[in-house]
Amino acid sequence: MKQLHRQASMSKQHRPHHHRASLSRTLASYLLREQRLLFVLLGFLLASPFFFLYPSSVSPHSAAGSSSVTNFAAAVARKIPRGGGASSASARRLPVGVRKPSLRVVVTGGAGFVGSHLVDKLLARGDSVIVVDNFFTGRKDNVAHHLGNPRFELIRHDVVEPILLEVDQIYHLACPASPMHYKFNPIKTIISFPLPCAAHNSSTSSQELDSIYLSLLIYLWTRIQLLQCVRSCYDEGKRTAETLTMDYHRGAGVEVRIARIFNTYGPRMCLDDGRVVSNFVAQALRKQPMTVYGDGKQTRSFQYVSDLVDGLVTLMESDHIGPFNLGNPGEFTMLELAQVVKETLDPGASVEFKPNTADDPHMRKPDISKAKSLLNWEPKVSLKQGLPRMVSDFQKRIMDEN
C-alpha cells in the first residue's frame, strides 16, 4: 500500500510538468502552422514605433482650459500648467525625438499686417489658429489663403467685447499702431490695449524714451506733454497694458510674455497708414514726392516683419517674461531712408519737405542686448534686403487700385 501511495504521489507531482510541456508543444505547433509566427512577429514590428515615439504622458497643452479674450494691446499669452514655477517649465520639455504636440492658438488682430505673418508661421509649424479681428485696420485678404485650411478659423469680433475660447496660447496684436488709425478713434485705441485674463502684452517702441531726454525734469515734462497730446491714447494705453499684464501674472498666475515692438515693415502693410516706410514706398510708386517732415535728420530703425515674428514666437516659447525690445538697431535718418527707396524703386524720385509734426521723437533705436543674450534672437534681414519684398507687394496692390 505504501508503494502504491508513493507512486500516486509521484504521479501527481509530475502531472503539472507534463501538462506544461504539452501546452508548450501545442502553442509551438499552433504558431508554426500556416506561418502564424511570421504574422505575430510582423505585428510586433508594426506596433513598436507607436510605443517608442508616442509621448509617455499627456502634454500640458493638450488639456487646455478656457481663456477669455477681452480687450487688449499687441500681446501674447500662455497658460501656466498646474504646479507653476521651474518644475512646470521642465515638465513642458519633451523627450528627444518626440514631436512637439500641436497647439491651439488665438491671434487677435490676426488679419492685420504683423498678425497675418504670425498666422502663416504658426500654421506652417502645425498649430491650429483662431484669428479674432474686427477688420478696422486688418484685411481679410491677408489671411484668405488659409480659409480652406481645417486648422484655421476666422472670427469677426471686436476684442473690446468679451469672447470665450479654449486655447493654449494668445498672441494679442489687436490695436491700431499707425498714427492715422489711432488718432481716428483714440478712445477705442486705449481700451483695446489691455486684454484682462489673457496674457502677454507686446507694446511697441514708443514705450522707450527718446534718449535725448536725459534729465528727470525733462522726463517729467515729456510725460505731462504725452498725457495731453493726440498720441497719448497710444503711449499710455501700452503702459496700462503692461501694468495689467503683470498684475494678472502676479495675482492670477497667468503666464505672460512682454515684448516692445520697434518700427516694422514688409508686405501687407496698409498702403496709407501714415508710417514712414509705407509712405515713401507708396508715394514713389505713385510718382509723388516723398514727404520728409522737419529737416529729415531724425533717425528710426526698421526691422523686417519675419524677424519680428521669429522674435515673438521665440519669446513665447522661452521661460522669460520680459519686457524685451524686438527691433533692428541699425539707424537711418529719414533722408537716408528716402535714398534707399530711390535706389530700390526709382532713382528719379523726389523729396518734399514739410514742417515737423508735434512730439516727433528725434531718435528711436532699440537696445536688443537682452533679447540677444536671453533669447538668442537678433534681426537677420537688412533694409536693403527687405525693402524690395515690400515693394513687390505694394506694386501689385497699387496696380489693382487703378
Side-chain angles (χ1 to χ4, degrees):
M1 288 293 292
K2 290 182 179 179
Q3 186 176 2
L4 289 172
H5 180 70
R6 277 199 302 271
Q7 288 175 352
S9 176
M10 290 174 63
S11 175
K12 288 180 181 178
Q13 291 173 359
H14 284 82
R15 194 177 299 149
H17 297 289
H18 290 304
H19 182 63
R20 284 196 294 269
S22 176
L23 281 175
S24 299
R25 284 194 297 272
T26 303
L27 180 60
S29 176
Y30 174 80
L31 291 174
L32 292 173
R33 217 169 33 243
E34 298 178 9
Q35 297 183 330
R36 290 188 177 94
L37 180 60
L38 178 62
F39 287 107
V40 171
L41 293 174
L42 184 60
F44 275 116
L45 288 173
L46 291 174
S48 58
F50 174 81
F51 292 105
F52 283 109
L53 297 179
Y54 193 77
S56 58
S57 60
V58 178
S59 164
H61 298 301
S62 63
S66 296
S67 290
S68 171
V69 182
T70 56
N71 39 335
F72 226 80
V76 175
R78 186 169 63 188
K79 296 175 60 182
I80 297 180
R82 289 184 181 179
S87 60
S88 66
S90 61
R92 287 196 300 271
R93 297 190 181 95
L94 296 172
V96 175
V98 177
R99 183 187 301 175
K100 185 175 180 180
S102 62
L103 303 176
R104 187 172 170 84
V105 184
V106 162
V107 181
T108 67
F113 160 49
V114 173
S116 63
H117 286 280
L118 175 61
V119 170
D120 291 346
K121 185 178 181 70
L122 296 175
L123 286 172
R125 75 175 190 181
D127 291 338
S128 295
V129 178
I130 303 172
V131 166
V132 178
D133 204 303
N134 67 350
F135 302 112
F136 175 51
T137 61
R139 298 182 305 121
K140 193 173 182 178
D141 288 347
N142 289 341
V143 291
H145 54 293
H146 296 306
L147 291 178
N149 190 331
R151 292 185 288 104
F152 175 78
E153 185 176 353
L154 177 61
I155 301 174
R156 185 173 190 134
H157 180 82
D158 194 329
V159 295
V160 171
E161 303 297 330
I163 183 172
L164 189 65
L165 299 167
E166 291 185 357
V167 297
D168 298 300
Q169 296 178 344
I170 301 170
Y171 287 83
H172 183 48
L173 298 161
C175 187
S178 71
M180 66 172 295
H181 289 133
Y182 64 67
K183 291 176 183 178
F184 175 79
N185 196 334
I187 296 175
K188 192 70 165 286
T189 296
I190 196 169
I191 63 177
S192 68
F193 270 109
L195 186 57
C197 90
H200 150 103
N201 172 37
S202 167
S203 59
T204 64
S205 59
S206 294
Q207 186 78 6
E208 297 294 308
L209 288 177
D210 190 334
S211 63
I212 198 172
Y213 303 134
L214 300 177
S215 70
L216 178 61
L217 180 62
I218 296 180
Y219 167 74
L220 291 173
W221 177 87
T222 304
R223 298 315 306 170
I224 292 171
Q225 292 302 307
L226 283 174
L227 286 171
Q228 297 174 351
C229 77
V230 292
R231 61 175 290 129
S232 62
C233 62
Y234 185 66
D235 296 314
E236 300 305 317
K238 287 177 297 188
R239 286 163 51 85
T240 303
E242 287 195 11
T243 301
L244 281 174
T245 296
M246 291 308 299
D247 286 343
Y248 271 94
H249 173 65
R250 289 185 290 259
V254 179
E255 190 172 358
V256 301
R257 304 288 182 265
I258 301 176
R260 292 175 178 172
I261 300 171
F262 282 69
N263 287 1
T264 306
Y265 69 98
R268 303 178 192 163
M269 286 188 79
C270 292
L271 292 174
D272 301 297
D273 67 357
R275 286 181 278 192
V276 64
V277 180
S278 55
N279 275 359
F280 281 7
V281 171
Q283 287 170 339
L285 286 171
R286 291 167 175 157
K287 305 301 180 182
Q288 300 170 349
M290 291 180 286
T291 305
V292 173
Y293 294 95
D295 58 8
K297 294 181 180 179
Q298 62 269 43
T299 64
R300 297 290 183 272
S301 59
F302 306 103
Q303 72 174 331
Y304 191 68
V305 64
S306 63
D307 286 332
L308 171 59
V309 167
D310 288 345
L312 290 174
V313 173
T314 300
L315 173 57
M316 175 70 93
E317 301 303 324
S318 76
D319 293 323
H320 302 287
I321 294 174
F324 288 92
N325 293 337
L326 298 181
N328 193 322
E331 277 188 287
F332 292 83
T333 67
M334 298 301 94
L335 293 177
E336 289 171 339
L337 173 63
Q339 183 60 36
V340 174
V341 172
K342 289 173 66 174
E343 292 171 2
T344 305
L345 249 156
D346 180 7
S350 60
V351 171
E352 180 182 26
F353 290 88
K354 288 189 176 182
N356 205 357
T357 57
D359 304 303
D360 182 37
H362 182 72
M363 181 179 70
R364 190 173 293 155
K365 175 184 177 180
D367 178 359
I368 63 168
S369 55
K370 186 177 177 181
K372 288 175 69 174
S373 62
L374 296 181
L375 302 179
N376 194 29
W377 173 90
E378 61 181 319
K380 300 174 182 177
V381 182
S382 69
L383 182 62
K384 291 188 177 182
Q385 292 172 323
L387 198 60
R389 306 175 194 176
M390 176 180 172
V391 167
S392 298
D393 173 69
F394 270 44
Q395 279 176 326
K396 182 179 182 302
R397 288 159 58 195
I398 288 176
M399 285 177 62
D400 291 343
E401 287 182 345
N402 302 327

